[in-house]
């Protein structure tokens, strides 16, 4: 059993990583992590509209996006802060990189069929400066963007595997024991699932 984590935070010791610590500690399977910000790796660039995916299958940019489409994991966990009611910019890069699927299908007549997997979504926010952009909603865009990523990778996200916590300014994650217990419960429930790697 393998979980691929997309860590959408540039902060090593921020709220997102505190949540992920609670997950990693309680999850029994293998864990691989990518960070679109390229903190310790290649990161994930934006689509360049280079046309490479009209000439060969997949995306020609050599970065951590390839770990997403390798499709060798059973669980996809997206954990991210919310910036101005959206996912951070490097997370949006993931969204526009799926452009390769359209070009592969319509130009090369080659499809990408991702295996079914479990999804886990953890979104964290605290500010209210974006209300002029989004009205009273501080989360809907980030949720929709995350769900788009899950849908493209064929990951099903159950309600019980979804956390949206918007009080990090007033109550940081490290002091929120109920939230950390909820993350622990998600990890432990996934430990009880039966997964297998499909033949590719």
């Amino acid at each position: 059993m393998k979980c691929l984590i997309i860590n959408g935070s540039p902060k090593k010791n921020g709220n997102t990583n505190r949540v992920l610590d609670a997950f990693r500690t309680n999850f029994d399977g293998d864990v691989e992590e990518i960070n679109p910000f390229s903190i310790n790796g290649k990161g994930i660039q934006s689509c360049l509209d280079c046309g490479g995916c009209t000439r060969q299958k997949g995306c020609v940019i050599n970065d951590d996006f390839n770990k997403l489409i390798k499709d060798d994991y059973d669980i996809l966990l997206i954990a991210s802060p919310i910036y101005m009611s959206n996912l951070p910019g490097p997370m949006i890069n993931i969204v526009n990189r799926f452009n390769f699927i359209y070009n592969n299908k319509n130009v090369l007549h080659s499809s990408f069929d991702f295996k079914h997997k479990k999804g886990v979504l953890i979104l964290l926010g605290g500010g209210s400066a974006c209300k002029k952009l989004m009205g009273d909603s501080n989360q809907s865009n980030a949720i929709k963007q995350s769900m788009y990523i899950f849908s493209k990778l064929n990951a099903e996200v159950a309600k019980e595997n979804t956390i949206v916590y918007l009080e990090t300014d007033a109550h940081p994650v490290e002091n929120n024991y109920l939230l950390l217990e909820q993350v622990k419960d998600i990890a432990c429930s996934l430990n009880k699932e039966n997964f297998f790697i499909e033949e590719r």
Side-chain angles (χ1 to χ4, degrees):
M1 179 169 60
K2 178 179 177 180
C3 177
L4 180 64
I5 295 174
I6 306 176
N7 180 349
S9 174
K11 297 182 179 179
K12 293 182 178 180
N13 299 307
N15 289 297
T16 302
N17 272 294
R18 182 64 187 88
V19 163
L20 288 176
D21 283 343
F23 181 86
R24 295 185 204 101
T25 299
N26 293 283
F27 181 68
D28 292 339
D30 297 326
V31 174
E32 183 174 9
E33 186 170 327
I34 60 176
N35 190 309
F37 278 93
S38 187
I39 303 301
N40 293 311
K42 294 181 179 179
I44 297 179
Q45 302 179 48
S46 174
C47 175
L48 304 173
D49 195 23
C50 65
C53 54
T54 65
R55 297 185 293 274
Q56 70 178 57
K57 190 173 181 179
C59 180
V60 300
I61 299 174
N62 183 23
D63 63 9
D64 283 341
F65 183 74
N66 291 318
K67 294 180 181 178
L68 275 177
I69 64 175
K70 188 177 180 182
D71 204 30
D72 64 344
Y73 49 96
D74 310 287
I75 302 161
L76 177 63
L77 190 163
I78 294 176
S80 178
I82 297 174
Y83 291 169
M84 300 303 286
S85 293
N86 292 275
L87 294 178
M91 292 289 290
I92 301 299
N93 289 347
I94 297 172
V95 173
N96 62 51
R97 286 286 289 282
F98 286 119
N99 186 45
F100 86 90
I101 294 177
Y102 176 86
N103 283 335
N104 276 186
K105 180 178 179 180
N106 289 281
V107 179
L108 301 179
H109 308 290
S110 177
S111 63
F112 250 80
D113 297 315
F114 295 102
K115 70 173 187 175
H116 183 263
K117 54 186 73 71
K118 295 280 186 178
V120 178
L121 176 62
I122 304 173
L123 295 176
L124 306 171
S128 59
C130 56
K131 286 191 174 181
K132 290 183 179 179
L133 289 173
M134 297 301 298
D136 291 331
S137 174
N138 191 27
Q139 62 196 34
S140 61
N141 269 10
I143 293 174
K144 289 177 182 177
Q145 292 155 355
S146 300
M147 290 303 178
Y148 182 82
I149 295 171
F150 284 122
S151 69
K152 284 296 185 181
L153 295 166
N154 199 19
E156 180 182 359
V157 188
K159 183 178 180 180
E160 59 268 22
N161 290 337
T162 303
I163 296 173
V164 180
Y165 177 65
L166 302 177
E167 302 294 332
T168 56
D169 283 359
H171 306 286
V173 165
E174 64 181 355
N175 299 324
N176 190 324
Y177 301 107
L178 289 177
L179 176 64
L180 295 176
E181 192 66 24
Q182 188 178 357
V183 174
K184 176 183 175 180
D185 288 345
I186 290 174
C188 291
S189 69
L190 291 170
N191 291 336
K192 298 175 184 177
E193 297 278 354
N194 292 318
F195 295 100
F196 64 94
I197 299 294
E198 296 178 357
E199 294 290 336
R200 304 305 296 168

